[in-house]
Amino acid sequence: MAESDDALTIRHVAERLMKAHPELDADLVESSVRTAYEELRYARVRTYLPILMERRAKDLLPSEERTDRQT
């Protein structure tokens, strides 16, 4: 069975973020991408959905700056 367009988009965005942030847990990255997708899934214009999802997921992930302050 072929993956839906949305499932492929989620997978590709998660893969890009995991490559960009290998120090983060894969489950955390996947969860943030799925949350971003859920927030944007009803967008009428789907052309920019991947980039908007990636930006939102990055906002949901812990940044180095925030984790450095906590230690």
Side-chain angles (χ1 to χ4, degrees):
M1 185 169 154
E3 284 186 278
S4 72
D5 288 343
D6 288 347
L8 278 172
T9 300
I10 290 169
R11 186 166 53 91
H12 290 173
V13 170
E15 287 172 357
R16 279 198 306 272
L17 284 173
M18 283 187 249
K19 285 181 184 176
H21 303 282
E23 72 281 0
L24 295 175
D25 180 54
D27 290 334
L28 179 63
V29 173
E30 179 77 24
S31 174
S32 69
V33 171
R34 287 194 178 281
T35 299
Y37 170 75
E38 288 300 320
E39 292 176 1
L40 298 166
R41 71 187 287 182
Y42 296 110
R44 286 182 163 184
V45 179
R46 315 257 325 153
T47 305
Y48 303 107
L49 187 60
I51 191 69
L52 294 172
M53 284 172 51
E54 187 169 345
R55 288 179 181 174
R56 179 62 182 132
K58 281 182 187 178
D59 288 344
L60 295 171
L61 291 171
S63 71
E64 289 179 29
E65 194 175 283
R66 281 187 260 163
T67 55
D68 286 346
R69 279 190 234 147
Q70 292 175 356
T71 56

